[in-house]
Amino acid sequence: MPAYEFPNDLVEIQRDYEQADARFEKLIAALPSTIDIMTGKPKTTDKQEDEVQKAREVRLQAQEKRDQHPWLQDIDDQYAARMQLWKAARSSE
């Protein structure tokens, strides 16, 4: 597997995606379970639903920005490049 040298902006974009993903996961984890909702226990609030929707949109925008980066368009092994990008973003924090 070749070692890639990533542009700084791509590493930063990956970090942005990771932060957006973590925020989204945190909000989802705070929601009542489907079983609780079905049995009439705590329901989600409009505020929670709005926060989740906004976090989902931010995460999607970050993902699209990363996936459409020109540097990634010329890479043959996308999987290997993405795995190394993920590691590079985490190791340089």
Side-chain angles (χ1 to χ4, degrees), residues 23-91:
R23 169 118 174 92
F24 175 75
E25 292 296 329
K26 181 178 178 182
L27 290 170
I28 291 295
L31 296 176
S33 73
T34 304
I35 294 171
D36 285 343
I37 292 171
M38 290 176 58
T39 58
K41 293 182 181 164
K43 300 190 184 313
T44 60
T45 65
D46 289 342
K47 181 181 176 187
Q48 285 175 311
E49 290 177 13
D50 288 344
E51 287 177 338
V52 167
Q53 182 59 33
K54 287 176 187 171
R56 181 179 286 127
E57 289 171 11
V58 168
R59 183 179 71 165
L60 179 59
Q61 289 170 355
Q63 180 180 4
E64 288 174 344
K65 187 174 181 180
R66 180 199 60 202
D67 292 349
Q68 295 172 1
H69 192 281
W71 188 89
L72 282 173
Q73 304 311 306
D74 296 330
I75 300 300
D76 290 332
D77 190 347
Q78 291 282 318
Y79 178 77
R82 289 174 194 277
M83 290 298 99
Q84 288 184 33
L85 175 60
W86 179 79
K87 289 177 184 177
R90 289 184 172 220
S91 69

